[in-house]
Amino acid sequence: MEFHDCCIWQHRKGLEALSLYQGIVRMGFDIDMSTLASVLTAFTCLEDITGGLQFHVKLIKSGFRQNSHVGSGLIDLYAKCSGGMRDCRKDSEFAFEL
């Protein structure tokens, strides 16, 4: 698989994951921390910092508890998509209460 093909595959999988998440929410299923971490991974795959930031705000408003999987997903999102280590560090301090 060439690099370009790999990027297209990841993009499609990210879109598919977000679509599945939206369906789960619409049907009223309970969402666990692993699901939330997977949604963050989808935003990271899509390099969608805006969507990831909006999802982060939703996480905060919903009162999610600090969780290592979600925290890791947030750090990954900020480090790979925003390009700023300041955001990444700030988020890690929030996520892990450093």
Side-chain angles (χ1 to χ4, degrees):
M1 180 180 290
E2 292 183 26
F3 179 74
H4 178 71
D5 293 337
C6 184
C7 290
I8 291 171
W9 180 82
Q10 284 183 322
H11 183 78
R12 286 184 186 148
K13 290 298 177 186
L15 290 174
E16 183 180 332
L18 292 178
S19 178
L20 288 170
Y21 170 73
Q22 290 171 342
I24 289 169
V25 169
R26 274 194 299 269
M27 289 194 263
F29 288 104
D30 290 334
I31 306 298
D32 63 7
M33 291 297 164
S34 295
T35 303
L36 297 176
S38 295
V39 171
L40 288 168
T41 299
F43 282 117
T44 303
C45 276
L46 295 169
E47 297 180 1
D48 182 0
I49 188 67
T50 302
L53 288 169
Q54 291 172 349
F55 191 71
H56 187 182
V57 169
K58 183 176 180 168
L59 290 173
I60 293 168
K61 286 182 177 181
S62 69
F64 87 101
R65 300 288 186 260
Q66 282 76 14
N67 175 279
S68 61
H69 296 293
V70 173
S72 178
L74 287 169
I75 291 167
D76 199 37
L77 173 76
Y78 286 115
K80 290 181 179 175
C81 297
S82 72
M85 287 308 293
R86 179 183 295 163
D87 287 340
C88 184
R89 180 184 168 102
K90 179 178 69 174
D91 189 60
S92 66
E93 289 172 355
F94 169 76
F96 299 111
E97 295 184 40
L98 299 176

